[in-house]
Amino acid sequence: QVQLVESGGGLVQSGGSLRLSCAASGSIFNIYAMAWYRQDPGKQRELVALVTSGGSTNHVDSVKGRFTISRDNAKNTVYLQMNSLKPEDTAVYYCNAQIATSVWRGPTDYWGQGTQVTVSS
């Protein structure tokens, strides 16, 4: 049983900053890629940023230069540092991780519970 627990969401003003955290726990053999998605009501879920097991990162164009994804493998945790926040960043943010629980099988997708980020004008 693997669990991803998110924290760090909240209400901020435009131009403000926020850092999201997502910690994985349980029977973990290895964590491959970790990512952050977001979804606002009435809109499709969007991949915001991804970090591979090797540390390579990708960010969607709309957040490049403002958001930074990182991971701490010793803590099984992925972070999303969000700076210069805009109202259009308002969404529920979900962390995602590809996790193998055994050497015998490949990774399975796991999701966090979601954390609300609201950016006021």
Side-chain angles (χ1 to χ4, degrees):
Q1 144 260 341
V2 173
Q3 185 177 24
L4 302 183
V5 179
E6 302 179 27
S7 62
L11 173 65
V12 297
Q13 293 185 330
S14 294
S17 297
L18 208 59
R19 189 179 78 153
L20 306 183
S21 299
C22 176
S25 62
S27 182
I28 299 172
F29 174 73
N30 194 30
I31 301 179
Y32 296 83
M34 306 183 82
W36 288 96
Y37 291 75
R38 65 186 180 187
Q39 187 168 27
D40 206 25
K43 300 179 181 179
Q44 62 183 354
R45 184 168 296 189
E46 174 187 39
L47 174 63
V48 178
L50 181 147
V51 56
T52 70
S53 60
S56 297
T57 62
N58 291 96
H59 300 77
V60 69
D61 287 344
S62 61
V63 308
K64 285 183 177 178
R66 301 188 299 119
F67 292 8
T68 303
I69 189 171
S70 62
R71 64 192 290 170
D72 185 335
N73 292 330
K75 297 181 178 180
N76 291 333
T77 299
V78 61
Y79 305 94
L80 186 66
Q81 178 65 48
M82 304 184 292
N83 299 324
S84 301
L85 282 161
K86 305 174 180 179
E88 49 262 46
D89 295 319
T90 295
V92 177
Y93 284 70
Y94 299 91
C95 68
N96 171 272
Q98 298 173 350
I99 299 175
T101 59
S102 170
V103 68
W104 306 112
R105 299 187 64 180
T108 298
D109 243 25
Y110 291 88
W111 292 89
Q113 81 280 9
T115 185
Q116 176 70 48
V117 172
T118 302
V119 185
S120 62
S121 301

